Amino acid sequence: MRIMIGRIGDWFDRRLQLAAPVRAMAEHPVPRNTASWWYVFGSAALTVFVLQIVTGILLALVYVPSGAEAWSSLQALNHDVTLGWFMRAMHGWGSNFMVAIVLIHMVQVFLFGAHKFPRELTWIIGVFLLLMTLGMAFSGQVLRFDQDAYWGLGIGASIASRVPILGPAIVKLMLGGPIIAGATLSRFFALHVFVIPGLLIGFVCLHLLMVLKLGINEWPMPGRVVKRATYEAEYHALTSKEGAPFVPYAVWKDMFFAAFIILAVAACALYFGPFGPTGTPDPTIIQTVPKPDYFFLWLYALLSLLPPSLETPALLIGPVVVIGALLLLPFLSGEGEKSWKRRPIAVLTVLLIAITLGTFTHLAGYTPWSPHMNAWSGDPVPQQYIHDTTALERQGALVFQVKQCRNCHSLGESGGQRGPALDNVAMRLTQDQLIRQVIQGGGNMPAYGKNLSPAETTALVAFLETLHPKGQAPARDASRDVALSDENQPGVKP
Amino acid sequence: MATKPALAPAPDATMSRRGFFMKLGVLFNGLAASVLAVPIVGYLFSSITRGRANGYLSWVHLGKVSEFPEGETRLATFQNPYVMPTDGKTADTACWVRRIAGEQFQVFAVNCAHLGCPVRWFPQSGLFMCPCHGGAYYRDGSRASGPPERGLFEYPYKVENGLVTIQAGELPTPGAAIAELTGEKPPCAS
């Protein structure tokens, strides 16, 4: 039997002539200390990419890329097709894992100085691979053609429209027409299924080819400095003297981690299930709170927190600066120390970016900047705030609810967080200041002057004046007492 | 692998017959590519060029004037004038119709002037609020607070035979303010 298999193998190899180069590739020597668990993320990213191709093809067997039918075909996948829900869940979780692993891989490569000479181009192609991965994540969210996808496209179009002069043309090109409709989904389908994956496969091959040709980055040692003139000879000496064949010396860790990642994706898919789809992509249903997928939440937060005047410049110049910096990095620091132990600025940069993105993502989880659309009718005024109050003050509490103040201001920890919590507002603002703020707005609050009658304003302010802790006096304007006293205003009783 | 191909032409300063034909071949393929490029580019950019011919914009009815009580703001829906068979529900669009008095109207796009999320009308406080990034607008569409740099987009309207009609067909986007300079101003960007 063995001889038979050997003969068949020989027959093929005589024609294909692949055995020798494949063996050379597998057994190429790598520096011994690169057989580390820190070096598994690149192959893990490739594993998840292959998983995405497989599950993607399986989904395409059922999915219909038509604006009219995409949503119902997703419902069919979730509910009618055997294990369709599992394939959708695998693909959705695989996407999250892929973005995460690509980012981890990038951080590891950066901290290990692998972007330095002679691996600059490997890094640059890696930057493009990251951008394509994010492109896949966004276009994939569009293919899940639901309310979030529809309004997400609207946000994308609004951002694109801000490009000077070309903006409106870019929007039409992106949407495939004047509005978000069937043509938009079709072109995002083409991008997600043909264009970006095709580019990804090509770039992944180049990326891998260069890892093979240039050798895997050696474990960085503090003090072992990269110089263009000597590096290649040093690396060659390292691999030839104390190198070990990649297979099997290092590969088993990659294999273990790859299997672990596949099982982790499957476990998430099994436990959490597929993502959406949320409501139908019907633009006339406006009772919706669109939210981007996890990896774009930081952007969602950033767009809420930037001052309006900075937004367009930040949106248009920001990506150019970030991508430009990533592409230029290997040229700006192509030589020198590789070890993170001797590169404090590199470590601090990574930490700063990670903390910033993490904070924005965390904020986007509970969106303190968004009004709570149903707080005015849904969240009751806490009992203690209307206990022992006058009729006028209670009327004010009613005005507070009915005029949707609650949508932006919380009382007793419930309600919107767009504006400040009002539990102690009477200690911060005097009666006059409260009236002025309600009538004229300001500080990011709309003016309510036209929408409140004088009686309503009086009642509302009377209620707000009761909002202070027991035993602590509300803020008051001492000069007002003087102004309203009998001596200064003859005939007027304060 | 070791033997070099025997047919490799000797380096020659003057142009050989084969070299000439190869160059001609490259030129011929270049010609074929540019002939093909014209329809490909035309096809690819058709969604832009069609817009320039103003094919997207039309007047659409929202309903009878009597359906919109004076002094109130109501949600109306219309079908986009340019519909493809695969559009499904996405061909429908919503807008806010404010009847000020008589035949005086304001018709707002539901899309927030910040990033296009659908704004909701709260008649009690007389505000439009956006659920995404917290933009707010007064009843006349002007900016009240939040990240938007401008008021709500308005559709041009007219009242004909007792019907409220608006000129629509394009997704209103904030970049329209810049587009204004180039004369490619969407009608609802006023």
Side-chain angles (χ1 to χ4, degrees):
Chain A
M1 186 65 191
R2 246 183 195 196
I3 299 167
M4 191 67 183
I5 291 171
R7 272 194 189 161
I8 294 172
D10 283 346
W11 186 91
F12 274 102
D13 195 49
R14 191 146 188 193
R15 282 144 188 93
L16 290 170
Q17 304 188 10
L18 277 176
V22 167
R23 183 170 297 133
M25 214 157 67
E27 293 177 353
H28 79 282
V30 294
R32 246 163 226 278
N33 47 18
T34 63
S36 152
W37 287 109
W38 283 107
Y39 280 68
V40 296
F41 298 109
S43 64
L46 179 62
T47 307
V48 183
F49 180 45
V50 173
L51 184 71
Q52 290 301 88
I53 294 177
V54 173
T55 51
I57 292 172
L58 291 173
L59 290 178
L61 298 178
V62 176
Y63 180 75
V64 182
S66 149
E69 284 147 309
W71 191 82
S72 23
S73 75
L74 292 172
Q75 292 293 351
L77 270 165
N78 271 3
H79 302 294
D80 301 337
V81 179
T82 308
L83 288 172
W85 68 271
F86 185 66
M87 289 307 144
R88 285 202 63 234
M90 283 288 282
H91 200 66
W93 279 101
S95 140
N96 275 353
F97 269 76
M98 185 159 161
V99 178
I101 292 171
V102 166
L103 287 175
I104 293 170
H105 177 53
M106 194 171 193
V107 168
Q108 182 266 326
V109 156
F110 175 65
L111 290 179
F112 279 53
H115 58 284
K116 294 180 185 247
F117 178 84
R119 301 185 181 83
E120 300 97 330
L121 191 59
T122 324
W123 167 270
I124 289 169
I125 289 179
V127 171
F128 286 116
L129 287 173
L130 170 73
L131 295 177
M132 285 178 218
T133 305
L134 293 176
M136 287 301 278
F138 182 77
S139 54
Q141 192 195 330
V142 172
L143 260 54
R144 192 184 64 223
F145 206 52
D146 56 10
Q147 279 180 342
D148 283 354
Y150 180 88
W151 296 105
L153 278 168
I155 291 174
S158 296
I159 293 174
S161 80
R162 298 185 184 201
V163 175
I165 298 165
L166 293 176
I170 295 173
V171 170
K172 280 186 202 131
L173 190 64
M174 174 186 154
L175 301 182
I179 60 163
I180 303 162
T184 317
L185 178 62
S186 294
R187 62 186 46 203
F188 273 87
F189 180 76
L191 280 176
H192 188 81
V193 174
F194 300 110
V195 182
I196 308 179
L199 289 171
L200 259 174
I201 291 172
F203 274 64
V204 164
C205 288
L206 272 180
H207 197 70
L208 273 177
L209 183 76
M210 271 185 289
V211 172
L212 283 171
K213 294 266 178 200
L214 302 170
I216 192 84
N217 184 44
E218 78 282 3
W219 186 274
M221 295 294 198
R224 194 196 280 159
V225 177
V226 178
K227 287 194 193 105
R228 282 201 172 81
T230 56
Y231 177 79
E232 275 157 326
E234 283 166 14
Y235 184 80
H236 182 72
L238 197 70
T239 49
S240 57
K241 270 184 213 153
E242 31 178 322
F246 175 67
V247 178
Y249 195 82
V251 78
W252 70 271
K253 279 179 180 154
D254 290 284
M255 291 171 73
F256 266 65
F257 194 68
F260 168 75
I261 286 293
I262 291 173
L263 289 177
V265 173
C268 285
L270 208 59
Y271 187 77
F272 298 105
F275 294 93
T278 62
T280 50
D282 181 344
T284 62
I285 302 173
I286 60 163
Q287 276 74 23
T288 173
V289 183
K291 228 177 178 183
D293 278 1
Y294 189 78
F295 281 103
F296 297 102
L297 280 178
W298 63 272
L299 188 62
Y300 176 54
L302 188 68
L303 290 171
S304 308
L305 300 174
L306 276 173
S309 57
L310 272 182
E311 207 170 83
T312 302
L315 278 175
L316 300 180
I317 302 168
V320 179
V321 171
V322 171
I323 295 168
L326 285 173
L327 292 177
L328 285 177
L329 175 75
F331 301 105
L332 298 175
S333 73
E335 288 186 315
E337 282 283 353
K338 269 188 176 175
S339 172
W340 66 91
K341 291 177 184 163
R342 297 265 173 102
R343 288 163 60 218
I345 292 175
V347 175
L348 285 174
T349 308
V350 168
L351 282 178
L352 181 72
I353 294 171
I355 290 168
T356 309
L357 292 182
T359 308
F360 280 148
T361 305
H362 171 69
L363 279 173
Y366 65 98
T367 61
W369 51 80
S370 299
H372 288 201
M373 297 304 222
N374 300 320
W376 67 289
S377 52
D379 295 350
V381 176
Q383 208 182 349
Q384 70 267 28
Y385 291 151
I386 42 172
H387 203 267
D388 288 335
T389 49
T390 65
L392 181 68
E393 288 157 0
R394 285 195 183 199
Q395 182 61 32
L398 208 59
V399 173
F400 183 78
Q401 292 291 108
V402 165
K403 295 292 177 180
Q404 281 100 19
C405 307
R406 196 66 178 278
N407 285 15
C408 291
H409 294 285
S410 71
L411 278 184
E413 313 236 311
S414 75
Q417 291 168 284
R418 173 92 207 167
L422 296 184
D423 301 270
N424 295 327
V425 69
M427 295 183 65
R428 295 195 302 271
L429 299 176
T430 65
Q431 188 190 35
D432 285 352
Q433 288 170 324
L434 281 170
I435 294 170
R436 194 212 64 78
Q437 185 65 29
V438 166
I439 304 260
Q440 296 182 3
N444 220 1
M445 175 172 154
Y448 281 80
K450 286 183 192 157
N451 296 312
L452 289 174
S453 65
E456 285 170 328
T457 309
T458 308
L460 176 62
V461 171
F463 169 65
L464 293 175
E465 280 190 287
T466 66
L467 297 176
H468 57 88
K470 274 209 175 92
Q472 292 192 49
R476 55 183 263 279
D477 183 355
S479 67
R480 188 181 160 85
D481 296 343
V482 178
L484 292 179
S485 69
D486 286 339
E487 290 166 28
N488 293 321
Q489 300 230 333
V492 178
K493 292 275 178 203
Chain B
M1 296 296 115
T3 53
K4 280 195 174 175
L7 284 173
D12 196 350
T14 60
M15 189 178 278
S16 70
R17 207 174 107 90
R18 281 209 176 78
F20 173 73
F21 275 125
M22 204 188 93
K23 278 187 181 156
L24 205 65
V26 170
L27 205 70
F28 196 41
N29 272 286
L31 187 76
S34 33
V35 166
L36 198 63
V38 174
I40 287 178
V41 170
Y43 172 81
L44 209 55
F45 291 93
S46 59
S47 57
I48 301 172
T49 45
R50 181 183 244 278
R52 201 168 291 154
N54 239 7
Y56 293 135
L57 300 172
S58 306
W59 289 92
V60 292
H61 301 309
L62 294 181
K64 287 184 202 147
V65 172
S66 56
E67 287 173 35
F68 303 100
E70 280 194 31
E72 288 190 26
T73 301
R74 293 278 168 94
L75 190 74
T77 59
F78 61 91
Q79 197 182 45
N80 201 55
Y82 175 73
V83 181
M84 299 264 281
T86 55
D87 286 350
K89 278 282 176 196
T90 56
D92 295 334
T93 306
C95 59
W96 289 110
V97 181
R98 176 190 181 210
R99 185 172 176 195
I100 303 166
E103 293 197 347
Q104 211 188 341
F105 282 87
Q106 271 187 305
V107 184
F108 305 111
V110 288
N111 306 84
C112 181
H114 177 225
L115 287 172
C117 287
V119 297
R120 282 184 234 173
W121 167 245
F122 289 88
Q124 299 84 354
S125 52
L127 289 174
F128 293 96
M129 291 190 205
C130 177
C132 284
H133 305 97
Y137 307 84
Y138 294 115
R139 64 177 76 237
D140 65 352
S142 59
R143 177 191 179 274
S145 74
E149 287 185 273
R150 47 159 295 155
L152 287 172
F153 304 110
E154 265 185 70
Y155 295 102
Y157 77 94
K158 59 186 178 189
V159 178
E160 270 182 346
N161 309 324
L163 290 171
V164 184
T165 313
I166 60 166
Q167 197 181 23
E170 272 187 46
L171 179 76
T173 48
I178 297 160
E180 221 167 320
L181 298 172
T182 65
E184 273 209 353
K185 180 182 159 192
C188 47
S190 54

